[in-house]
């Protein structure tokens, strides 16, 4: 066992004395040592219940013959961090989480890991750590929040942000806003729509690293505690059989994850996280594969913000495995791949039934014949631009309009709420990419303001930043190269015409090559916005959004 390096032999007598100080018995020390990575904290609603899940996992590990040891992982609440400097610190935690988990695991000699994440960057950060460490690992998330209810209608966090825009537009009163505020987020858990946290937890099932129900069982259901106990049991089986993450995280497994992503209509942030996880597993994913997979994958779900259904509805309809069972009817998945259940994908989904064809459309009656996400390219986005096309109004799938250019999110929000953005405009927010932000902030505030102001079907938004899974509309993010490194988005001028053609995966700045060359010769890099602390180091190491914003040492 790996843990023999800290528990067995004469040289480890000092180590054993320290285990005695921790209260561990000799009997416990003879068992495999299982690290339980708990993301519990008291600031993220999706994490406030994780202490109970941690205790359930500990019990499962101990009952199955292991020595459970808990250590922490950080997590940021994107909702609380939204719209101010705090959002610069969201994406960047993904690497802190992966690095700190690596440090704790290697330093203490764990034989296996149970990861207990839930919210946005916490899940991919721990998946990155799992791929990097490559010791037996299983995931059990904190689970999604139940939907809120306002005037008898289900609502979620995106409704809350859009309500603020409605107040700015004068179509909602402060009293009505207060009703939303009191009723939109009624329980603990990751926010109730198909936002980033729930997208990644669902894809943890699809890629083979989580047990069935991991992505969809609501946080407040006792079934979530039972799932946590089962994860504790199952990690011992994985250790006995030496089934490791890189046995599971193969190129074909990532193709399965992308296929399920397209069917579910997941957050565009998955297009950052899947390449980063693959990178840690030694696999390079070119994001253009997303369009290839999308072209053959029907979109089967329209969960909030794209539609009126929520995570609890997906759970009742059969969850991720029911979606995968539909996809398998047309041979869209690799079924012979191993998973943490000890069975292959085909065995896992055998017999799974779609219990509600209104929530999970049958494969022969999809919402769209193609997937929920598209990768756009063109002279404005030579590498990539990402859009959640399943959440775009049909009339905005093709759009041409004048650029309204802003060098930060705050200036754009002031213009939107100030009534200075008009029907037909294309809002461009730049210098918000991985380096330019730094930190690649989410743009839920401006997208929600556009929708709340009644402009969701007439105004587009383009940024080198990114969007919350709660964003909807013609919102195109991850534009690469970003403005901070001289990407074409840095050369856009107020009033330039921009053509968006989502069906043909094109994003075009209608300016001549000669004019762009002239502008490039005159371009001056923007002064860095933060020049100290972690963000300074992050800025120096982070790569482009089209590569997953992974960190790399500068080339010598």
């Amino acid at each position: 066992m790996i843990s023999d390096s800290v528990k067995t032999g004469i040289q480890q007598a000092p180590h054993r004395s320290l285990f005695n100080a921790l209260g561990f018995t000799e009997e416990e020390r003879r068992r495999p040592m299982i690290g339980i990575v708990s993301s519990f904290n008291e600031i993220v609603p999706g994490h406030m219940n994780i202490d109970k899940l941690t205790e359930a996992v500990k019990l499962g590990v101990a009952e199955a013959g292991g020595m459970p040891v808990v250590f922490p992982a950080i997590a940021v609440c994107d909702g609380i961090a939204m719209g101010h400097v705090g959002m610069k610190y969201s994406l960047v935690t993904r690497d802190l989480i992966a690095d700190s988990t690596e440090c704790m695991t290697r330093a203490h000699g764990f034989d296996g890991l149970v990861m207990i994440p839930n919210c946005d960057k916490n899940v991919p950060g721990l998946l990155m750590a799992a791929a990097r460490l490559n010791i037996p690992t299983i995931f059990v998330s904190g689970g999604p929040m139940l939907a809120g209810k306002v005037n008898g209608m289900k609502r979620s966090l995106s409704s809350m942000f859009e309500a603020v825009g409605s107040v700015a537009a004068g179509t909602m009163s402060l009293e009505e806003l207060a009703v939303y505020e009191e009723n939109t987020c009624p329980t603990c858990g990751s926010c109730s729509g198909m936002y980033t946290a729930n997208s990644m937890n669902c894809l943890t099932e699809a890629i083979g690293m989580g047990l069935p129900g991991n992505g969809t069982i609501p946080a407040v259901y006792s079934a979530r505690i039972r799932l946590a106990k089962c994860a504790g049991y199952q990690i011992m089986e994985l250790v006995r059989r030496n089934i490791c993450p890189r046995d599971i995280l193969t190129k074909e497994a990532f193709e399965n994850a992308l296929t399920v992503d397209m069917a579910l209509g997941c957050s565009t942030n998955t297009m950052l996280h899947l390449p980063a996880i693959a990178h840690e597993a030694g696999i390079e994913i070119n994001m253009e594969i997303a369009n290839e997979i999308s072209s053959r994958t029907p979109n089967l779900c329209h969960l909030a913000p794209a539609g009126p259904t929520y995570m609890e509805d997906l759970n009742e309809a059969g969850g991720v495995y029911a979606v995968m069972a539909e996809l398998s009817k047309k041979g869209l998945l690799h079924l012979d791949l191993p998973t943490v259940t000890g069975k292959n994908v085909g065995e896992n989904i055998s017999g799974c039934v779609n219990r509600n064809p209104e929530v999970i459309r049958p494969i022969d009656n999809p919402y769209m014949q193609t997937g929920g996400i598209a990768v756009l390219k063109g002279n404005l986005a030579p590498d990539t631009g990402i859009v959640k096309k399943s959440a775009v109004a049909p009339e905005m799938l093709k759009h041409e309009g004048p650029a309204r250019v802003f060098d930060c999110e705050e200036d754009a929000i002031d213009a939107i709420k100030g009534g200075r953005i008009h029907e037909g405009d294309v809002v461009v927010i730049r210098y918000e990419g991985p380096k330019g932000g730094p930190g690649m902030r989410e743009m839920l505030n401006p997208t929600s303001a556009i929708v709340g102001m009644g402009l969701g079907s007439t105004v587009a938004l383009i940024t080198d930043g990114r969007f919350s899974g709660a964003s909807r509309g013609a919102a195109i993010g991850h534009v690469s190269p970003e403005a901070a490194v001289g990407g074409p988005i840095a050369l856009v001028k107020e009033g330039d015409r921009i053509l968006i053609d989502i069906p043909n995966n094109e994003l075009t700045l209608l300016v001549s090559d000669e004019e762009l060359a002239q502008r490039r010769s005159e371009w001056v890099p923007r002064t860095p916005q933060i020049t100290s602390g972690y963000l300074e180091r992050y800025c120096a190491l982070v790569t482009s959004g089209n590569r997953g914003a992974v960190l790399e040492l500068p080339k010598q």
Side-chain angles (χ1 to χ4, degrees):
M1 293 188 295
I2 298 170
S3 60
D4 287 343
S5 63
V6 296
K7 294 189 302 185
T8 303
I10 295 174
Q11 293 297 323
Q12 281 65 42
H15 305 63
R16 291 193 293 274
S17 72
L18 292 169
F19 280 112
N20 288 339
L22 289 165
F24 288 111
T25 65
E26 183 178 349
E27 166 60 28
E28 286 176 299
R29 292 200 308 268
R30 285 197 291 267
R31 300 176 177 186
M33 187 165 65
I34 306 300
I36 300 172
V37 189
S38 171
S39 301
F40 168 76
N41 65 45
E42 295 182 340
I43 189 62
V44 185
H47 290 238
M48 63 181 287
N49 64 319
I50 282 178
D51 56 340
K52 296 177 177 61
L53 299 180
T54 300
E55 290 304 312
V57 171
K58 285 179 66 177
L59 182 60
V61 169
E63 286 183 345
M67 173 182 166
V69 182
V70 177
F71 66 90
I74 64 169
V76 163
C77 176
D78 277 18
I80 294 174
M82 193 71 64
H84 58 95
V85 69
M87 182 46 71
K88 294 179 183 289
Y89 288 88
S90 173
L91 178 61
V92 304
T93 64
R94 189 184 69 180
D95 297 276
L96 282 174
I97 291 162
D99 292 349
S100 61
T101 303
E102 175 192 357
C103 291
M104 290 293 288
T105 302
R106 295 296 191 211
H108 300 106
F110 292 108
D111 297 301
L113 296 169
V114 181
M115 307 291 201
I116 315 179
N118 208 28
C119 288
D120 293 21
K121 312 310 169 296
N122 191 243
V123 185
L126 289 177
L127 280 165
M128 289 165 66
R132 185 186 301 175
L133 291 162
N134 201 36
I135 63 173
T137 304
I138 193 169
F139 278 68
V140 56
S141 77
M145 184 184 292
L146 294 178
K149 284 192 176 179
V150 178
N151 300 324
M153 301 292 290
K154 287 185 177 181
R155 292 289 183 259
S156 61
L157 186 66
S158 53
S159 311
M160 192 70 248
F161 277 88
E162 290 171 12
V164 173
S166 297
V167 171
T171 58
M172 179 180 287
S173 69
L174 290 175
E175 290 76 17
E176 290 172 307
L177 180 68
V179 173
Y180 271 76
E181 187 176 331
E182 289 297 319
N183 294 285
T184 295
C185 297
T187 72
C188 63
S190 49
C191 295
S192 56
M194 188 52 79
Y195 308 149
T196 304
N198 293 326
S199 295
M200 289 307 304
N201 282 321
C202 286
L203 296 188
T204 301
E205 281 189 63
I207 210 166
M209 291 296 293
L211 297 176
N214 180 60
T216 59
I217 297 171
V220 295
Y221 284 12
S222 295
R224 176 64 56 179
I225 296 174
R226 298 199 301 272
L227 185 73
K229 290 178 183 176
C230 289
Y233 302 152
Q234 189 59 22
I235 187 58
M236 298 308 300
E237 180 65 17
L238 296 175
V239 169
R240 278 190 283 271
R241 295 173 58 182
N242 195 33
I243 298 175
C244 297
R246 291 196 186 191
D247 299 324
I248 295 168
L249 297 174
T250 62
K251 181 176 181 291
E252 291 76 17
F254 283 97
E255 290 176 0
N256 276 359
L258 282 165
T259 301
V260 174
D261 188 330
M262 297 300 170
L264 285 172
C266 289
S267 163
T268 53
N269 281 312
T270 62
M271 297 294 106
L272 279 176
H273 300 323
L274 288 175
I277 299 161
H279 180 76
E280 295 290 352
I283 299 165
E284 296 302 321
I285 294 180
N286 184 330
M287 274 296 92
E288 291 183 34
I289 193 177
N291 283 342
E292 178 187 335
I293 291 174
S294 177
S295 69
R296 61 175 183 261
T297 305
N299 176 228
L300 304 182
C301 299
H302 265 193
L303 284 87
T309 53
Y310 295 80
M311 294 305 296
E312 62 203 65
D313 302 312
L314 179 60
N315 186 62
E316 292 168 10
V320 175
Y321 277 14
V323 174
M324 294 174 73
E326 289 289 345
L327 293 170
S328 70
K329 292 176 182 177
K330 290 198 173 180
L332 296 174
L333 296 174
H334 303 282
L335 300 179
D336 59 346
L337 305 181
T339 73
V340 294
T341 67
K343 302 175 182 178
N344 66 30
V345 172
E347 292 169 326
N348 285 342
I349 66 175
S350 177
C352 290
V353 176
N354 179 359
R355 301 190 189 99
N356 189 339
E358 295 302 313
V359 176
I360 304 171
R361 287 281 186 91
I363 194 73
D364 56 359
N365 182 33
Y367 282 101
M368 298 188 301
Q369 292 295 338
T370 57
I373 291 176
V375 178
L376 312 185
K377 298 187 77 169
N379 69 342
L380 185 53
D383 293 334
T384 55
I386 306 291
V387 64
K388 187 173 182 175
K389 65 180 180 181
S390 60
V392 177
E395 58 268 35
M396 290 297 289
L397 290 171
K398 287 190 175 183
H399 178 76
E400 180 183 328
R404 304 297 309 280
V405 183
F406 305 93
D407 285 350
C408 68
E409 176 186 2
E410 289 82 358
D411 289 350
I413 292 171
D414 287 345
I416 296 165
K417 291 185 176 179
R420 302 195 300 276
I421 301 300
H422 308 291
E423 291 187 5
D425 285 349
V426 179
V427 176
V428 176
I429 306 177
R430 61 192 180 191
Y431 295 104
E432 291 285 8
K435 285 185 179 293
M440 203 178 187
R441 288 195 286 181
E442 285 187 347
M443 302 289 173
L444 180 55
N445 272 346
T447 57
S448 298
I450 287 170
V451 173
M453 295 286 286
L455 299 170
S457 61
T458 58
V459 169
L461 194 156
I462 297 172
T463 181
D464 52 7
R466 59 194 178 90
F467 295 111
S468 164
S471 292
R472 61 188 175 111
I476 300 163
H478 308 199
V479 169
S480 302
E482 62 175 295
V485 298
I489 192 171
L491 310 179
V492 181
K493 291 186 176 181
E494 185 81 8
D496 285 348
R497 304 290 293 182
I498 294 176
L499 175 63
I500 299 166
D501 187 348
I502 295 173
N504 289 308
N505 304 317
E506 293 177 358
L507 183 60
T508 307
L509 177 62
L510 299 176
V511 173
S512 70
D513 293 344
E514 293 76 17
E515 173 63 18
L516 286 177
Q518 178 62 35
R519 293 181 188 181
R520 181 171 300 284
S521 69
E522 299 169 353
W523 176 73
V524 177
R526 191 181 189 220
T527 302
Q529 300 301 290
I530 294 180
T531 57
S532 63
Y534 178 58
L535 286 182
E536 180 188 27
R537 300 194 299 276
Y538 182 87
C539 180
L541 299 177
V542 70
T543 62
S544 176
N546 71 301
R547 296 187 54 206
V550 299
L551 303 186
E552 285 186 347
L553 292 172
K555 294 180 180 179
Q556 299 298 322

